[in-house]
Amino acid sequence: CACLFACLFLVCMLVTGLPLQASAAQISLAVVTKPGSAQYIAAAKFAELVKERSNGATTVKIFHSGALGTETEMLQQIQLGAVQMGIITLGPFDTFVPEVKVVAFPFLFKDHATVDRVLDGPVGQEILKTLESAGFKGLAFSENGFRHLTNSRQPVHTAMDAGGLKIRVMESTFHKELWRALGANPTPMGWPIYSELQQHTIDAQENPLWVLSVYKLYEVQKYLSLTGHVYSTHIDIANLGWFNSLPADQQTLIATAMHDAAIFQRAYNRSQEAANLEEMRANGMIVEEHPDLQSFRDRVAKLRDMDMYAAPATRALLDKILE
Ligand code: EAX
């Protein structure tokens, strides 16, 4: 029966002249956040570029706002090929590909220029390559942004002030250890978290400024400290088997469209930061602009010596970035 099917398929190919590799007519792409979010802006730009550059032959369907579950669940679905592509915050990747957490190492990047130099250079390429071990094709890095701490209890100037806060962290062992090291009480959760903050199941969260604006977290969080403790990238991925099965010209189209969408979105994200901060002030948040970052650095220094950073591949990547 399988043989008959194969024969029929071959005859079809001969008659229709279609290439053996099937081009994708519609691509499914998952983001956990909603329209207006950093992930969605990158996704929408990608969809626009793919449609334009394929002259309408390929379209992208964006699944958003948690339609496919949490980012961990989305990664599982992409791994299985049930969804073809995703723009996913780096945090939840660490159970799939342990090496990638090097990018989220606290206080690693001093500014956006350094981020771009690392992620757009050979180390970035190496990080994208590591994703293949988990069945992902790494295409590009779009941006969530530098993460800052907010809470509903008290102003946070030093790391000591963050002690004891019940904080939501991403579904990531690394982020959990990071907040443990800071003396807080971290709980990993998917996104979104508005009602948990509102009901005081948790006191605190940490995210880039756009998140406070798009998800109106200023309604349920009073204090903002500009800690910038972690640079949060997204990794823009495809299911590896699916990507490799596409004709070469379509692979190139997808890869370059995602690259260009990421560059566009990073610039957009950065252009919004000052306005986002003003918006938080206007909505009554109390902003600690210059927290004592040394006190945070001192407490997280020990993360480098923890087991999760001891694996040679992880250690080597971290050392390369530090260089
Ligand atoms: O992208 O889960 C997180 O904290 C993410 O940074 C959030 O969904 C916004």
Side-chain angles (χ1 to χ4, degrees):
C1 178
C3 178
L4 181 67
F5 183 77
C7 287
L8 276 174
F9 183 69
L10 262 184
V11 169
C12 256
M13 298 303 301
L14 289 174
V15 173
T16 62
L18 283 173
L20 259 173
Q21 291 163 308
S23 281
Q26 193 183 59
I27 300 173
S28 52
L29 169 71
V31 299
V32 77
T33 47
K34 61 186 183 181
S37 68
Q39 291 89 337
Y40 191 92
I41 288 164
K45 190 68 183 180
F46 172 71
E48 175 196 318
L49 294 176
V50 166
K51 190 168 172 199
E52 185 183 296
R53 294 175 186 179
S54 70
N55 298 316
T58 304
T59 54
V60 178
K61 180 164 170 51
I62 305 172
F63 293 87
H64 59 88
S65 310
L68 301 177
T70 66
E71 290 193 304
T72 301
E73 289 161 345
M74 285 163 39
L75 284 169
Q76 286 160 348
Q77 291 167 71
I78 296 166
Q79 213 171 25
L80 291 171
V83 180
Q84 289 148 347
M85 299 185 68
I87 294 179
I88 319 271
T89 316
L90 180 112
F93 271 94
D94 72 14
T95 47
F96 296 81
V97 189
E99 295 95 312
V100 301
K101 64 173 167 288
V102 295
V103 181
F105 199 82
F107 306 108
L108 187 59
F109 298 107
K110 71 170 193 297
D111 52 24
H112 289 129
T114 320
V115 166
D116 292 350
R117 211 167 63 235
V118 171
L119 296 185
D120 294 338
V123 176
Q125 284 307 313
E126 206 178 311
I127 292 166
L128 293 179
K129 194 82 189 154
T130 62
L131 298 164
E132 297 191 3
S133 66
F136 300 125
K137 172 74 186 175
L139 295 167
F141 298 99
S142 49
E143 167 173 293
N144 219 22
F146 281 97
R147 304 180 77 91
H148 304 290
L149 175 66
T150 69
N151 83 94
S152 56
R153 297 182 75 96
Q154 69 221 18
V156 173
H157 178 63
T158 69
M160 190 98 94
D161 303 326
L165 285 177
K166 280 187 288 173
I167 185 170
R168 172 270 178 178
V169 294
M170 284 188 280
E171 298 171 297
S172 151
T173 312
F174 171 66
H175 278 261
K176 195 168 156 199
E177 290 306 326
L178 167 60
W179 286 95
R180 272 216 187 114
L182 287 166
N185 184 0
T187 308
M189 290 178 192
W191 189 260
I193 55 167
Y194 185 96
S195 52
E196 288 82 355
L197 290 168
Q198 189 177 37
Q199 290 156 17
H200 295 280
T201 320
I202 42 177
D203 310 313
Q205 67 90 45
E206 42 83 56
N207 252 304
L209 298 177
W210 70 262
V211 175
L212 307 180
S213 167
V214 171
Y215 284 92
K216 297 195 182 336
L217 295 192
Y218 51 82
E219 293 176 353
V220 289
Q221 296 279 271
K222 186 76 183 165
Y223 304 99
L224 165 62
S225 295
L226 299 182
T227 46
H229 49 279
V230 163
Y231 175 75
S232 195
T233 186
H234 310 142
I235 316 188
D236 311 331
I237 56 169
N239 171 281
L240 182 63
W242 169 77
F243 185 83
N244 286 342
S245 77
L246 295 172
D249 60 340
Q250 203 169 27
Q251 289 185 8
T252 306
L253 186 146
I254 289 172
T256 52
M258 192 57 102
H259 172 266
D260 296 348
I263 298 295
F264 165 86
Q265 182 269 341
R266 280 188 225 165
Y268 176 79
N269 213 37
R270 294 163 193 182
S271 75
Q272 297 303 301
E273 278 193 322
N276 287 153
L277 184 57
E278 271 326 297
E279 187 192 342
M280 293 314 113
R281 285 206 173 92
N283 281 291
M285 283 194 95
I286 296 171
V287 182
E288 170 57 85
E289 259 193 82
H290 302 289
D292 172 7
L293 295 182
Q294 193 53 46
S295 69
F296 284 83
R297 283 202 175 89
D298 291 346
R299 290 200 174 192
V300 298
K302 66 177 177 207
L303 287 170
R304 270 191 88 173
D305 304 318
M306 290 178 79
D307 278 359
M308 61 180 168
Y309 270 95
T314 306
R315 165 65 57 187
L317 261 180
L318 181 60
D319 289 344
K320 265 188 208 168
I321 300 181
L322 287 169
E323 220 175 85

